[in-house]
Amino acid sequence: MNARVETDVLNHLSNQHLDALEEETIFILREVAAAFERPALLFSGGKDSLVMLKCAEKAFGAGRIPYPLLMIDTGHNFHEVTDFRDLRAKELGADLIVRSVEDSMARGTVRLAHPGESRNVHQSVTLLEAIEEFRFDALIGGARRDEEKARAKERIFSHRDSFGQWQPKAQRPELWTLFNTRLAPGEHFRVFPISNWTELDVWQYIARENIALPSLYYAHQRDVVERKGLLVPITPLTPAREGETVESRTVRFRTVGDITCTCPVSSDAATADDIVLETLAADVSERGATRMDDKTSDASMEKRKKDGYF
């Protein structure tokens, strides 16, 4: 009975709106190529950046994406994701630039409060160093407005000052898809072509376009502990604490990032269609269900973005 109901839901779930979202994304990707001298596409190997990469292929043609791919690596990323990142970049013949938080630590520009501190927030420093190194004037990112309230405030073309900072109360208007791309020396833009997509849109598009993803996005067995309402994966970086009970559960990741702050959710979803159905029933946002670094305060993401975060 359940299988028939789920199949019926998928059969009646429209994805015609994806054409409009794809068209908007392609328009923005081409606008960046036309308006800026040294853009780069932020590419982590995660689902949002892979959707954006698919749209870039459609915008320019396979093997003809006119800007390099850039990843800021904390050194604590899931190997399934970084391996997939390298594979996909090689398949496309794209120029992949990887800059590491560990290199910033070696230079002394990043200093951890203690060895076990999450490096996620420190990506901002390494990113700004990469921008200065390559003189990037636009960075294309896969952030969406439905992820988190600070991201919902941000424009598609998000101006950053010469310190890489975002000023939420001084954003440029974007009327009739007209974008003000003027820059002073040292400034740059963060551009978010899939701002208007939702998590459901992303998974419908992945299913429609048959986009390959790292295996972590689908159901698998993993040792976890429950902590602050989240399922924390047991790894050498995130061991169980005294008194916690380790359980083996069937889980998947709704988003992938630094191991020290990214959590899976309980799920049996083994295909993109399964995840579409699961997303329809979800009542907690993607980051709300999976990210420990967003639990520190209600304004934690906005503070990081003001300091130069993605």
Side-chain angles (χ1 to χ4, degrees):
M1 177 66 73
N2 287 341
R4 287 197 296 272
V5 170
E6 291 180 354
T7 301
D8 188 61
V9 169
L10 284 173
N11 288 339
H12 289 85
L13 183 63
S14 173
N15 64 9
Q16 292 182 354
H17 66 292
L18 296 179
D19 293 331
L21 290 172
E22 180 188 71
E23 182 181 348
E24 179 186 53
T25 299
I26 288 172
F27 167 75
I28 294 166
L29 290 168
R30 288 173 174 167
E31 189 79 0
V32 171
F36 298 98
E37 294 182 11
R38 292 174 296 277
L41 191 152
L42 292 168
F43 180 61
S44 65
K47 69 179 188 311
D48 297 315
S49 60
L50 285 163
V51 163
M52 206 160 51
L53 201 59
K54 181 67 175 180
C55 290
E57 284 187 78
K58 292 191 176 188
F60 305 107
R64 299 179 61 186
I65 298 173
Y67 21 71
L69 311 181
L70 171 66
M71 183 189 182
I72 305 302
D73 191 342
T74 65
H76 290 167
N77 295 89
F78 292 97
H79 73 85
E80 294 93 338
V81 178
T82 53
D83 290 348
F84 193 89
R85 172 204 69 192
D86 295 342
L87 173 65
R88 194 73 187 97
K90 184 177 180 180
E91 288 174 347
L92 288 172
D95 181 14
L96 175 63
I97 300 169
V98 179
R99 290 296 179 265
S100 173
V101 173
E102 292 182 346
D103 292 335
S104 298
M105 292 166 60
R107 287 190 291 269
T109 53
V110 167
R111 298 182 180 180
L112 303 183
H114 54 83
E117 181 188 1
S118 173
R119 300 176 182 179
N120 192 55
V121 67
H122 298 294
Q123 291 180 91
S124 303
V125 174
T126 309
L127 177 62
L128 293 174
E129 290 173 344
I131 291 169
E132 183 176 1
E133 177 185 355
F134 293 98
R135 297 188 301 127
F136 291 131
D137 53 4
L139 292 177
I140 307 165
R144 308 186 319 271
R145 288 181 174 135
D146 76 318
E147 289 182 272
E148 204 274 342
K149 53 182 174 290
R151 286 182 165 167
K153 294 180 181 180
E154 198 156 23
R155 300 285 194 264
I156 292 175
F157 279 67
S158 179
H159 176 262
R160 302 298 172 106
D161 64 21
S162 57
F163 297 100
Q165 295 175 323
W166 172 58
Q167 301 298 334
K169 294 183 179 180
Q171 299 189 75
R172 299 178 180 183
E174 294 180 345
L175 304 175
W176 307 293
T177 63
L178 296 175
F179 305 109
N180 180 350
T181 58
R182 291 182 181 177
L183 286 174
E187 298 177 344
H188 70 278
F189 273 90
R190 308 283 173 87
V191 184
F192 305 108
I194 63 170
S195 284
N196 293 327
W197 297 50
T198 66
E199 184 183 9
L200 179 61
D201 296 330
V202 167
W203 280 108
Q204 284 187 272
Y205 192 75
I206 289 167
R208 188 182 82 171
E209 300 293 326
N210 196 27
I211 298 174
L213 298 178
S215 59
L216 293 179
Y217 280 109
Y218 300 106
H220 59 282
Q221 289 294 122
R222 184 175 291 270
D223 288 341
V224 298
V225 297
E226 289 194 37
R227 188 182 301 161
K228 295 182 179 179
L230 300 174
L231 296 180
V232 178
I234 298 304
T235 71
L237 295 169
T238 53
R241 297 173 181 172
E242 186 177 352
E244 290 183 329
T245 302
V246 178
E247 301 176 75
S248 179
R249 291 201 191 179
T250 303
V251 299
R252 69 175 181 88
F253 285 84
R254 288 174 70 179
T255 182
V256 293
D258 190 283
I259 292 172
T260 62
C261 61
T262 307
C263 298
V265 296
S266 294
S267 174
D268 294 315
T271 68
D273 283 338
D274 292 341
I275 295 176
V276 167
L277 290 169
E278 209 171 74
T279 305
L280 280 168
D283 57 4
V284 179
S285 71
E286 178 180 324
R287 293 188 70 93
T290 63
R291 297 302 294 263
M292 286 184 281
D293 53 337
D294 288 345
K295 299 289 185 180
T296 55
S297 78
D298 288 341
S300 56
M301 171 60 82
E302 183 163 329
K303 182 181 183 302
R304 293 202 301 274
K305 290 182 75 66
K306 286 180 180 178
D307 293 338
Y309 191 71
F310 310 138

